[in-house]
Amino acid sequence: MSELGGQQTRRLPWPQEWPEPGEAKQKVTVTVFAVLGLGSLAGAVIALTATPPDARGVIMAICAPLFLGFVSIAVLTRLRVRDRGTASIHLDHVAPANSEAVVIPYSRGLALTYVAMTASMLALFGLLAVVALLVVLDDDSSGTGMSVLLVASSLATLYLLLLVVEALRGGLSRGALALAPSGVHHRSWAFTSFFTWDSIISVSAGTTGGQLITTAVYDNSTPYFHRRSRLWKQPELALAPHMGVQGMNLSVDPALAYQALRYYHEHPEMRAELGRQAGVDRIRRADLIIH
């Protein structure tokens, strides 16, 4: 049993297709990046409070959120992936299904980590582009190395700015997996899809990384699929028209989402409760045994 976020649930079986998270290796990764992140913060404080201030402290201050972001990703998607709570599961209206549905959102912590890391990289590459430009304009003999740095950092800055624009217009956003009485809705970081229950052949655990959850659909079915942005590449896109969900992105234990999909696929008589609080309660307490 695990208890997080005020919700108590039993731990469901981990599909054999998914490798167990390597905690020892991940702890090493977390430790290394934590040291780098905290070291960068400490170095930034020392450099910027010196007399006169050392400009290199700005670079260290910008890099700190990037290093700590890798720590957050490792913790959220590996070390604590089996201990996530269920409080985030809720009932909401889902437009593609035109009904209420049980919604399992993507991890808020993971989404905020991506935002912080994007801001950090934007500041870093933007600063490098400005510095490289000033050097090139000031010294014609600066060499090709500085010109290459200018081009590379400018392109990276432009790409990151485009990601910000995509996020502001809704092309990139925090996703969710929604189970409705009529079908399954998946809003990923950059695409949206909807599958009726009748179009789904099977629900299975994928063998690739990220605790992949897949649903195969009939060839003659016409699932709804809309790619909102082409700037954010996701491996699940290769599965279209079938559905692929990276369980590590979800706010709950991926095994819980996987078993919920299997349960309602195998029990059509129970799907009506997905439009009511009863569906939320069943998934929260992991009452998903398939007979």
Side-chain angles (χ1 to χ4, degrees):
M1 304 284 283
S2 65
E3 187 167 353
L4 290 172
Q7 297 291 339
Q8 189 177 39
T9 182
R10 58 178 174 165
R11 180 173 286 188
L12 290 171
W14 194 252
Q16 63 179 2
E17 292 87 354
W18 295 347
E20 286 285 349
E23 291 194 7
K25 181 179 178 181
Q26 293 303 322
K27 286 179 180 178
V28 172
T29 301
V30 167
T31 301
V32 169
F33 280 109
V35 169
L36 289 173
L38 296 176
S40 295
L41 283 176
V45 171
I46 294 172
L48 295 175
T49 55
T51 306
D54 189 339
R56 289 176 295 182
V58 176
I59 298 292
M60 289 187 281
I62 292 174
C63 288
L66 194 58
F67 291 135
L68 296 176
F70 286 116
V71 173
S72 178
I73 290 174
V75 170
L76 291 172
T77 65
R78 295 295 186 267
L79 293 181
R80 300 297 301 274
V81 68
R82 294 286 274 151
D83 298 318
R84 298 169 178 172
T86 59
S88 62
I89 303 174
H90 63 281
L91 198 67
D92 200 359
H93 183 82
V94 174
N98 194 29
S99 69
E100 299 296 297
V102 178
V103 177
I104 303 174
Y106 276 25
S107 167
R108 185 187 300 275
L110 194 58
L112 292 175
T113 296
Y114 286 149
V115 170
M117 293 179 73
T118 300
S120 179
M121 288 188 291
L122 181 58
L124 176 62
F125 288 118
L127 180 60
L128 290 176
V130 171
V131 171
L133 177 62
L134 292 176
V135 171
V136 170
L137 292 177
D138 185 62
D139 184 4
D140 292 336
S141 61
S142 57
T144 58
M146 193 57 64
S147 298
V148 171
L149 176 61
L150 173 60
V151 172
S153 57
S154 297
L155 289 175
T157 302
L158 177 60
Y159 174 72
L160 292 167
L161 284 173
L162 290 175
L163 287 182
V164 172
V165 172
E166 287 288 85
L168 292 175
R169 77 170 186 84
L172 294 173
S173 62
R174 179 186 174 201
L177 177 66
L179 279 62
S182 58
V184 180
H185 170 61
H186 178 215
R187 186 180 74 248
S188 188
W189 302 111
F191 64 86
T192 304
S193 55
F194 179 75
F195 306 79
T196 63
W197 288 109
D198 291 340
S199 70
I200 297 175
I201 303 172
S202 63
V203 178
S204 59
T207 56
T208 58
Q211 297 91 45
L212 184 65
I213 304 169
T214 63
T215 60
V217 297
Y218 290 102
D219 291 337
N220 60 351
S221 63
T222 56
Y224 169 81
F225 182 87
H226 173 61
R227 188 170 182 179
R228 305 191 310 275
S229 173
R230 296 189 177 276
L231 293 178
W232 187 278
K233 187 176 181 180
Q234 293 181 243
E236 307 97 289
L237 285 168
L239 298 173
H242 309 292
M243 184 181 75
V245 180
Q246 294 287 349
M248 69 177 187
N249 291 331
L250 300 173
S251 57
V252 301
D253 179 354
L256 180 62
Y258 168 66
Q259 296 293 355
L261 274 168
R262 291 190 65 218
Y263 178 83
Y264 287 106
H265 178 251
E266 296 292 332
H267 290 275
E269 73 280 3
M270 303 302 296
R271 294 172 191 164
E273 70 180 22
L274 290 171
R276 307 191 305 270
Q277 185 63 31
V280 174
D281 295 339
R282 179 183 296 279
I283 297 176
R284 280 182 174 176
R285 65 176 183 266
D287 185 11
L288 302 168
I289 302 299
I290 299 177
H291 299 289

